[in-house]
Amino acid sequence: MSRPFDLTLYLVTDPRLVAERGLLATVEAAVKGGVTLVQLRDPDAHGRALVEQARALKALLAPLGIPLIVNDRVDVAVAADADGVHLGQDDMSPADARALLGPERILGLSVGNPAEFAGSSSGIDIGAVDYLGVGPVKATGTKKDAGAAIGAAGVAAVRALTRRPIVGIGGIDGALAGEVIRAGADGVAVVSAICAAPDPEHAARALLSAVTAAR
């Protein structure tokens, strides 16, 4: 059984957007504002550097009870004792990742639309997954390989196909967060809405307020 997690306000880090303020300072402020889950995503970092970043974040987040997820890299998550991994459609299969991670770590999977969900659920892989990241809801520049925007209607379409927890992601800001929740998402995942904000704590509070109001 996986560790407990809360998808309400899910922060995905971006190394470029947090460069001036610093990764740890940005995440610490965001958590003070109400972030409930943090994903370390740095596609340009090599293994050793990524492990060091993950360990630093784990040391910050563990005392606060906030789980740390590592994007893509199962090996880094295990080395840093992170709480889980988030996989894309082209990454290691969820079944293989679960075999390496064990039963307790959290495992997420990106699903870009109902067709991708159908493809994932046609085999046994989907059974290894704890939650789904659905999107991009809106076109975004923070992830170069993101698919076409699906809007809140796309989130609702995936929601209709599964009872698994889902988090909407991609171009979500305060104005869109409530719409995504009303479409059936359990939470929203954001990158630039917090990482690029002048005040990450304030930005997180505003997003949390929008999510709470929509429930």
Side-chain angles (χ1 to χ4, degrees):
M1 185 175 180
S2 297
R3 301 169 189 178
F5 61 94
D6 181 355
L7 294 174
T8 299
L9 185 53
Y10 187 147
L11 172 64
V12 181
T13 64
D14 184 306
R16 297 163 299 174
L17 297 178
V18 304
E20 184 174 346
R21 185 184 297 110
L23 175 65
L24 293 181
T26 301
V27 171
E28 183 176 20
V31 169
K32 286 180 180 177
V35 160
T36 58
L37 195 64
V38 175
Q39 180 188 135
L40 173 61
R41 186 171 76 189
D42 188 347
D44 298 322
H46 296 295
R48 183 177 297 180
L50 202 56
V51 169
E52 290 174 355
Q53 289 181 48
R55 284 177 175 157
L57 281 174
K58 176 73 176 180
L60 170 68
L61 296 171
L64 304 174
I66 305 296
L68 172 65
I69 306 297
V70 175
N71 187 58
D72 296 348
R73 298 289 298 270
V74 173
D75 57 338
V76 170
V78 172
D81 194 25
D83 298 284
V85 172
H86 187 89
L87 300 173
Q89 287 286 316
D90 297 325
D91 294 325
M92 177 186 295
S93 76
D96 288 338
R98 175 59 72 197
L100 294 170
L101 291 169
E104 293 187 356
R105 286 193 171 95
I106 303 160
L107 185 57
L109 176 68
S110 292
V111 172
N113 50 55
E116 279 194 357
F117 174 81
S120 298
S121 59
S122 62
I124 62 170
D125 275 359
I126 199 71
V129 173
D130 296 303
Y131 75 89
L132 301 172
V134 180
V137 177
K138 184 179 176 182
T140 175
T142 59
K143 197 169 189 293
K144 296 177 182 178
D145 60 348
I150 61 171
V155 175
V158 175
R159 172 79 289 166
L161 299 174
T162 180
R163 298 180 65 181
R164 271 185 174 71
I166 64 174
V167 60
I169 188 169
I172 297 175
D173 55 17
L176 190 54
E179 193 176 342
V180 173
I181 296 299
R182 287 188 290 271
D186 297 279
V188 295
V190 299
V191 185
S192 58
I194 289 179
C195 291
D199 185 340
E201 181 178 349
H202 177 76
R205 287 189 192 283
L207 284 160
L208 183 60
S209 177
V211 169
T212 303
R215 285 179 165 170

